[in-house]
Amino acid sequence: ARHLLGIEPLHPVEITTILDLADKYVDLNRQPNKHGDALRGLTQINMFFENSTRTQASFELAGKRLGADVMNMAMQASSIKKGETLIDTALTLNAMHPDLLVVRHPHSGAVDLLAQKVNCAVLNAGDGKHEHPTQALLDALTIRRAKGRLHRLNIAICGDISHSRVARSNLILLGKMENRVRLVGPPTLMPSGIGEFGVEVYEDMAEGLKDVDVVMMLRLQRERMDGGFIPSEREYYHRYGLDAEKLAHAKPDAIVMHPGPMNRGVEIDGDIADDINRSVIQEQVEMGVAVRMAAMDLLARNLRAPKDEGVYV
Ligand code: CP
């Protein structure tokens, strides 16, 4: 592929290729000297039109560790504020010959649109409610390392499913790898018609978490709720916040995940989030750097390969 826009177009073999290379980058990142040269001579531009801590920092570190020249556009200080469109901004940067463009945007589909207008490889760092492919890949790597496999696992994704690009990308990836995925949350935060996609839907945490291997919690994404139903935090924590009592329904060795940013006392109890025997939240962050290194390395190999001879399709 020329771009990484979503999990939807990826074949399971491509997912495995990215994760296998990311495993190698985990080892590199744990060395005192963390430098590789897979992106040497290439220019990476990060354009974040929405707030980010993990994704922005890890894409920047990933590029720098592999030798790219990395530029972070301060979108708040850009000419977007003077009325320049997303596409004109992208075309302007494209004229400076970047090789990799990393884009986060609040509108679903904006990154796909932008990718059609530029010559470089585009990586989707999260677009609206649509996809967050590198998040799903880092989650997959975390699960594979913790559980020793990435198939035939029972995985519960819990909370605000309807506003979540993380849930969507994970649902697609985990399904492609033949896991059994359950969605758990209030009906008001569940996409309509989701049951038709062969996924099990639960309203009750005790039932939804029964005997699962992985519990993935999600934040209430108020910024995308458009003035619709917003639950009270107290009521939500009581019914859907992950605490020791609710986690006891999962398998005794079930892992707890959260993509961050995390709201303690809303969707997750702080003690559970910090429990090093159950929570892999910090491992997820670590895997994020390695997965982004692997994704950019593979796209760069494709940039350099003769036409139609990409490393992954
Ligand atoms: N998980 C995630 O995308 O976090 P950030 O919004 O901090 O990048």
Side-chain angles (χ1 to χ4, degrees):
R2 211 159 76 79
H3 308 294
L4 177 59
L5 299 175
I7 298 296
E8 188 93 64
L10 295 184
H11 188 276
V13 173
E14 294 173 297
I15 293 169
T16 303
T17 301
I18 299 171
L19 299 187
D20 289 349
L21 182 58
D23 254 332
K24 297 197 174 97
Y25 282 128
V26 174
D27 295 339
L28 177 70
N29 288 336
R30 289 180 179 179
Q31 302 296 321
N33 179 351
K34 302 169 189 6
H35 286 120
D37 60 4
L39 303 182
R40 189 160 309 285
L42 301 186
T43 301
Q44 171 190 339
I45 300 181
N46 297 334
M47 295 168 72
F48 280 68
F49 294 89
E50 239 188 23
N51 294 345
S52 171
T53 297
R54 283 145 285 267
T55 313
Q56 196 275 334
S58 58
F59 263 117
E60 182 176 352
L61 273 181
K64 287 181 172 167
R65 285 186 184 168
L66 292 181
D69 296 313
V70 184
M71 186 177 83
N72 290 305
M73 284 293 297
M75 298 320 300
Q76 294 301 321
S78 74
S79 286
I80 288 269
K81 293 282 165 203
K82 298 177 190 164
E84 191 166 53
T85 65
L86 167 70
I87 297 302
D88 282 333
T89 304
L91 289 175
T92 300
L93 293 172
N94 187 54
M96 300 180 198
H97 297 290
D99 302 285
L100 299 153
L101 205 51
V102 178
V103 187
R104 169 169 288 190
H105 198 277
H107 295 147
S108 306
V111 184
D112 290 50
L113 182 68
L114 188 149
Q116 293 165 25
K117 308 281 181 188
V118 296
N119 304 321
C120 57
V122 176
L123 293 103
N124 182 359
D127 64 322
K129 295 188 272 188
H130 178 225
E131 281 239 33
H132 193 350
T134 54
Q135 179 69 47
L137 288 162
L138 76 88
D139 289 338
L141 185 61
T142 307
I143 294 170
R144 195 174 80 165
R145 289 170 69 99
K147 291 284 155 200
R149 67 182 199 275
L150 187 59
H151 59 275
R152 293 200 199 147
L153 291 166
N154 288 316
I155 299 169
I157 306 179
C158 310
D160 180 5
I161 310 291
S162 60
H163 301 100
S164 176
R165 56 196 176 209
V166 175
R168 195 165 181 281
S169 289
N170 263 300
L171 194 56
I172 299 168
L173 188 154
L174 295 167
K176 280 180 194 270
M177 304 311 279
E178 300 190 359
N179 295 283
R180 204 164 150 190
V181 182
R182 306 169 179 185
L183 300 178
V184 191
T188 45
L189 296 177
M190 208 55 79
S192 56
I194 189 75
E196 293 161 25
F197 291 91
V199 57
E200 297 166 51
V201 179
Y202 293 87
E203 199 177 323
D204 180 74
M205 285 287 273
E207 287 174 27
L209 296 193
K210 192 166 170 11
D211 295 331
V212 296
D213 301 287
V214 177
V215 183
M216 195 180 286
M217 301 307 299
L218 298 171
R219 178 177 63 89
L220 286 174
Q221 291 136 101
R222 297 176 190 285
E223 71 276 21
R224 291 197 271 277
M225 286 189 185
D226 300 331
F229 171 76
I230 299 181
S232 96
E233 289 188 357
R234 231 176 111 205
E235 168 79 3
Y236 187 81
Y237 181 67
H238 175 66
R239 293 203 57 192
Y240 294 102
L242 186 68
D243 55 15
E245 196 183 320
K246 295 189 189 82
L247 183 58
H249 295 281
K251 282 188 183 161
D253 62 350
I255 56 169
V256 173
M257 305 180 73
H258 194 305
M262 185 164 58
N263 291 145
R264 291 168 186 259
V266 182
E267 73 273 7
I268 190 164
D269 174 68
D271 290 341
I272 297 287
D274 297 334
D275 181 351
I276 54 166
N277 296 314
R278 307 303 294 271
S279 165
V280 293
I281 294 170
Q282 297 309 321
E283 280 86 339
Q284 287 175 267
V285 177
E286 182 185 4
M287 296 310 122
V289 181
V291 153
R292 285 160 184 138
M293 289 165 88
M296 290 197 290
D297 178 347
L298 290 166
L299 287 176
R301 291 185 209 185
N302 285 351
L303 287 175
R304 289 171 174 140
K307 207 173 177 321
D308 301 328
E309 284 185 29
V311 173
Y312 64 103
V313 187

